[in-house]
Amino acid sequence: MTSLRELMPCFQGVVPAAIVTCDAQGTPNVAYLSHVYYLDDRHVALSCQFFNKTKRNIGVNPYACVQLKHPATLEAWRLDAKFIRAETSGPLFDEMELRIQAIAAHTGMKGIFRLLSADVYEVLELQPEPGFVLQADADNPRPAMDDSRAELRSLQVISDRIVRAADMGELLKTLLASLCELFRVSHAMYLMHDEADGRLYAVESTGYDSSGAGAEVALGEGLIGTVAKTRRLLRVSGMGEMLRYGRAVRGEMQRDGAEVTAEIPLPGLCEAQSQLALPLVVGDRLLGVLALESADPLAFQDWHEAYLNLLANQAALAIERLGERADEEPAPEPERAPLASRRRVFTWYPKDETVFCDGEYLVRNVPARILWKLLTEHEQTGRSEFGNRELRMDDSLGLPPYKDNLESRLILLRKRLDERCPDVRIVPVKRGRFTLERDCELVLETR
Amino acid sequence: MGGNLIDSELREFLERGLVCVIGTRSADLRPDWAHGVGVRFTKNRCVVFIEQSTAARSLTNLRDNGMIALTICEPATHRTIQLKGRDTKLREMTQAEQRLAQRLANTARHAVIEVGIAPRVAAGWNYSNLIAAEFELSGVFDATPGPNAGAEVA
């Protein structure tokens, strides 16, 4: 007999499952399920968001028949099941609620679309239905159910690279590049958590057309914001299906008079079908979120969660460590390079704490204050080398007194300049020191 | 109650040929599903076509008690309508129904291709051994996920 464990891809929510129940009068009822959750080889849990006919039926007749389909082949299984209990709190409920929260947060239904219960069923019989599809797709075999052991070596390699990274920039670059190289991830980004304003800022990315540095996500907003808020890993396979489902509920809620808000655009790949977001946490501090994406709806399997969670924990410790290391002493000022004839106009808007370059938005908040300090000091004194320590001592920059994420903020600033104004560069010279380089004339103005 | 109580927009949706799941139950109230294609309304009755290769239990149930439920779902929007019926009679399909069912099945295949199912996978969806199930319509319900799911629409 097939075991439930062999059907893992069917539990990813890529193809909706259906459930048939029956009331005391013998009237059957068919409903689609947003999520069938694998509990163990004899039990599944079904998410219940509304007190509907299925819920009422299992209250009087606990038997149900569930249709599960393989997302790649559409092969079907018949699960004869019996309702055991409804959980409204605890680890299972929390786990299933996270996915619902992510749908709600992304589709503008935060707080109004939520999990009522995780309904646990005993699976009495599990039967494949080979006649559901005429033939298996030989050119497109079912994804391997468990190929995790081969990845252990990759985990070790990334772990070694992470602990050897000399600074934050190298660490983040190495982490993302290694994920792509060794775990066959195509798109990855790291978002720093700014404890001062409670938002996440994209700092480093790989695989995208543009770096996306500076892209912002509020805590609790969309998938990444939900992961940051709950500090729990979230894997979504079949993003398209999840969003179609969310939009259907949203439309019905609007029709019902609920106040929904605008849909939150996903940062990153617009055609992403899978996303795995991992919180980087040390103690009670959220350092950031590592977000992986793929256009393949089945890119991330169960083993990814376990392996990448280990990796995220290690990366978090390394980020913490690099944020604490002492800076090196300043070197003598190098000779200034001759200026090119180009002009770049930097404008500081104190009210919005924003810097624009040649009339276009460049950066805001702490990175903007840092840039403005560097530019004005450079203009006034000609100085071009700066140290992290003096930035930390400068109260006007508004850095938190402890755990200030300065390295990540400087990476973000460096990337924004790379993209928007390559004539002005922040170049690390040694641990905790960097130079401001320019190939243009600077014009600074405040508005 | 038959198709005459369903407005033209709803009827067009239900008869378009979307994804259809059928629910039945045994004499001891054990539920079961079957794979269907449909539907078509006549004045007093409704007909859905059931794929027999995966429906042994449901066909037995229908012969036993005639109680049926089925959902018609548009995958791209999740708009779903559930029909409930009784007095189901199973019968061989006419030649016209055979042609109609294959046309509806192709529409259903396109509906799942639209949401990302590979065309060659959708092409393998089995509708090769259908039987007609004709029933008296007893209720039409909105089954689109959301707070209104379960509301009677006709």
Side-chain angles (χ1 to χ4, degrees), chain A residues 39 62 75 81 94 154 160 187 313 320 346 418:
Chain A
L39 267 181
E75 290 169 275
D94 292 346
S154 302
D160 283 349
H187 299 78
N313 288 340
E320 174 98 334
F346 286 85
D418 278 352

Side-chain angles (χ1 to χ4, degrees), chain B residues 3 23 37 41 45 48 52 55 57 63 65 67-68 70-71 73 97 99 102 112 125 131 136 143 145 152-154:
Chain B
V37 57
F41 295 99
R45 308 276 285 176
V48 64
Q52 298 183 78
R57 283 194 337 198
R63 287 188 184 102
N65 57 66
M67 301 292 279
I68 192 168
L70 64 94
T71 52
C73 173
E97 283 176 332
R99 288 192 295 275
Q102 290 313 316
V112 295
W125 216 344
I131 187 170
E136 181 192 334
E152 198 154 10
V153 293

